[in-house]
Amino acid sequence: MIKTKDLKKIYTTEEVETTALNNINLEVKEGEYVAIMGPSGCGKSTLLNVLGMIDKASSGEYSFLGEEISKYSERQRANLRKSNIGFVFQSFNLIDELTVYENVELPLLYLGFSSSERKERVKQVLEQMEILARENHFPQQLSGGQQQRVAVARAVVAKPKLILADEPTGNLDSAHGEEVMKILGELHESGTTIVMVTHSPAYAEYSHRVIHLFDGHIVSENIQKEFKI
């Protein structure tokens, strides 16, 4: 599904040049569950943003679903991203002015789903996340755990092939963190590929493989469990 070769990301200002990613060579197979770990500032979130086509690498090659996208325009990347990738962020990133239902419905509006299709999918995923009773509430009326459930629902409502999760439990207590990890595990078991940034060794154990980053480099990889295609 994902393959990178000598991927680099360099941020440049008038005074300084910072290499956030340096010669990243990475492969993620369809259906795999991969955790990315490392100290703060090592490039984890930058890597996730490049893989999710939110950001663009400075150099190197990036193949997604067999397509080399390094030279894609922003519009081409956006079209590929919205059709195939769901994002779960630490900060939830819900829109305060929209209800739970409307937040989850948003990706389907962008993809041009009909009203009846949107209603069916949103109701289904809210029920799956056990948050349907809150569909008419606004984000600020929910607990942190409930908000993250809504964020996960929004990420998966379009049935993406890939979920990118950036510290999805970072703002949650341990009980709610376990709930979110259980939901991600269930999504993976249903066939979704997951790449997750985490600081937690316990949560990394959910994955097939742990990639360790340091100063923008991949310094090691640990196989947690055998991955069978």
Side-chain angles (χ1 to χ4, degrees), residues 79-229:
N79 287 336
L80 191 61
R81 177 176 66 237
K82 69 184 182 182
S83 301
N84 294 286
I85 302 175
F87 296 88
V88 182
F89 301 97
Q90 177 178 347
S91 55
F92 315 140
N93 283 11
L94 300 176
I95 298 172
D96 289 338
E97 295 76 20
L98 299 182
T99 65
V100 165
Y101 183 99
E102 291 166 338
N103 266 283
V104 176
E105 182 186 35
L106 204 56
L108 302 180
L109 285 168
Y110 289 140
L111 289 168
F113 281 76
S114 70
S115 176
S116 59
E117 286 178 306
R118 295 198 305 272
K119 183 176 181 179
E120 182 181 350
R121 286 212 184 191
V122 173
K123 295 279 188 181
Q124 182 183 42
V125 76
L126 288 178
E127 190 170 354
Q128 181 186 1
M129 299 298 159
E130 298 179 0
I131 199 78
L132 182 58
R134 305 281 185 171
E135 65 176 328
N136 294 316
H137 287 64
F138 291 93
Q140 60 267 32
Q141 297 174 302
L142 306 177
S143 68
Q146 290 170 333
Q147 288 186 58
Q148 192 60 298
R149 283 175 179 269
V150 177
V152 173
R154 182 186 56 189
V156 304
V157 70
K159 299 181 180 177
K161 294 180 176 69
L162 172 66
I163 293 289
L164 297 176
D166 193 355
E167 292 285 0
T169 62
N171 282 334
L172 303 176
D173 59 34
S174 58
H176 287 123
E178 288 289 348
E179 285 181 9
V180 169
M181 292 306 301
K182 181 183 176 183
I183 290 168
L184 290 176
E186 289 169 353
L187 290 169
H188 172 250
E189 287 175 8
S190 71
T192 307
T193 307
I194 297 177
V195 179
M196 175 184 67
V197 164
T198 182
H199 277 106
S200 167
Y203 293 154
E205 288 183 5
Y206 283 78
S207 68
H208 293 116
R209 179 163 51 111
V210 181
I211 294 169
H212 295 271
L213 285 186
F214 188 77
D215 287 348
H217 295 271
I218 293 177
V219 292
S220 66
E221 292 190 29
N222 297 334
I223 305 297
Q224 304 272 96
K225 61 189 80 166
E226 186 181 359
F227 171 64
K228 295 179 181 179
I229 298 176

Side-chain angles (χ1 to χ4, degrees), residues 37-49:
M37 300 189 73
S40 297
C42 71
K44 301 186 300 296
S45 293
T46 300
L47 177 57
L48 217 62
N49 287 340

